[in-house]
Amino acid sequence: MKPSEDNIKLGKNIAAAIGLEPHVYPYFDQDNKNMIYILDCKDPLDNNIKFYSTIGVSDAFNEIEMKDNSFKDIRVEILMIGNNSTDKWGNILSTTGFYITKNSWSAEPGTIFKNILNDYAPDVKLPHILFTRPFPWGEKLTDPILLESKEVHFLLAIPVSDSEAIFLEQNGYKALENLFINRNAEIQDINRPLVV
């Protein structure tokens, strides 16, 4: 199935913002019934790192509870950074996306999807996915992209440990995000040292 015109525009905008030599690949679920496109680009500063993004997750409803207890549909695409610590980054990201598109899980900064990496790296010490704002790209992806059919916001998916997930529950999302930034955590490595 060919991506929609909006998703083609979206892919071009993301590629221009994050990296070089973009490629888009379809990823299917286990039953080969559902598909998500994954964009990958080379990091312009480090050939051992790639940037990844879902294309089309934003077609799915993503209901977020607001401060006034109302709900709002905020469409998202998920970004990820990966090095050669695994060749499964696209699989990890597509699985994360399928939980949003197929299972109607909501994603926003501070949300954790549990045990996503266990299928791809059973002994990994970072089995969960944390969603944060896309801080590695500065201001490039902080504002949503407005397309004809939707407004798309961006989240960065970071593999985290049990202890980091507990730290988030006790101290809040911003505290953990600040640890990643202040300690220059190698979020592109599934074998990175833990920040807590």
Side-chain angles (χ1 to χ4, degrees):
M1 181 172 78
K2 185 180 175 188
S4 69
E5 287 301 315
D6 267 358
N7 286 341
I8 291 170
K9 288 177 190 172
L10 179 63
K12 288 178 180 179
N13 282 328
I14 296 169
I18 66 173
L20 304 172
E21 299 179 32
H23 300 279
V24 177
Y25 303 98
Y27 282 76
F28 292 87
D29 64 1
Q30 289 180 334
D31 300 328
N32 286 326
K33 292 181 179 176
N34 298 284
M35 181 186 59
I36 291 176
Y37 287 101
I38 301 294
L39 166 76
D40 74 35
C41 298
K42 287 185 178 178
D43 180 340
L45 303 176
D46 187 339
N47 285 335
N48 295 315
I49 295 176
K50 282 190 172 184
F51 302 137
Y52 299 86
S53 177
T54 58
I55 304 291
V57 169
S58 58
D59 292 337
F61 190 71
N62 183 45
E63 189 172 68
I64 304 298
E65 186 171 3
M66 308 308 285
K67 289 181 182 176
D68 65 359
N69 296 325
S70 66
F71 289 89
K72 185 174 181 182
D73 177 22
I74 298 178
R75 304 299 173 104
V76 297
E77 295 294 347
I78 311 301
L79 303 160
M80 190 170 250
I81 303 172
N83 66 5
N84 57 8
S85 60
T86 182
D87 61 355
K88 301 294 184 189
W89 292 110
N91 298 89
I92 294 165
L93 188 56
S94 65
T95 297
T96 303
F98 284 131
Y99 278 107
I100 297 169
T101 62
K102 289 175 49 180
N103 298 64
S104 300
W105 290 14
S106 293
E108 64 181 305
T111 301
I112 291 182
F113 285 8
K114 298 273 185 156
N115 301 314
I116 298 293
L117 277 77
N118 286 348
D119 288 339
Y120 304 105
D123 298 323
V124 71
K125 60 185 176 181
L126 306 168
H128 316 301
I129 292 292
L130 165 68
F131 296 104
T132 72
R133 61 186 179 83
F135 61 84
W137 294 281
E139 299 298 315
K140 288 183 181 178
L141 296 172
T142 55
D143 291 331
I145 292 177
L146 186 58
L147 300 167
E148 189 173 316
S149 65
K150 59 189 172 181
E151 180 179 278
V152 180
H153 299 256
F154 297 93
L155 295 172
L156 175 65
I158 301 174
V160 295
S161 68
D162 290 333
S163 61
E164 292 166 340
I166 291 168
F167 180 88
L168 180 142
E169 289 172 13
Q170 294 173 344
N171 300 282
Y173 143 71
K174 280 293 200 187
L176 183 57
E177 182 185 75
N178 286 337
L179 281 179
F180 285 128
I181 294 169
N182 295 335
R183 295 187 183 173
N184 293 318
E186 296 180 3
I187 60 173
Q188 74 277 8
D189 189 341
I190 64 167
N191 301 309
R192 69 168 170 79
L194 306 182
V195 296
V196 291

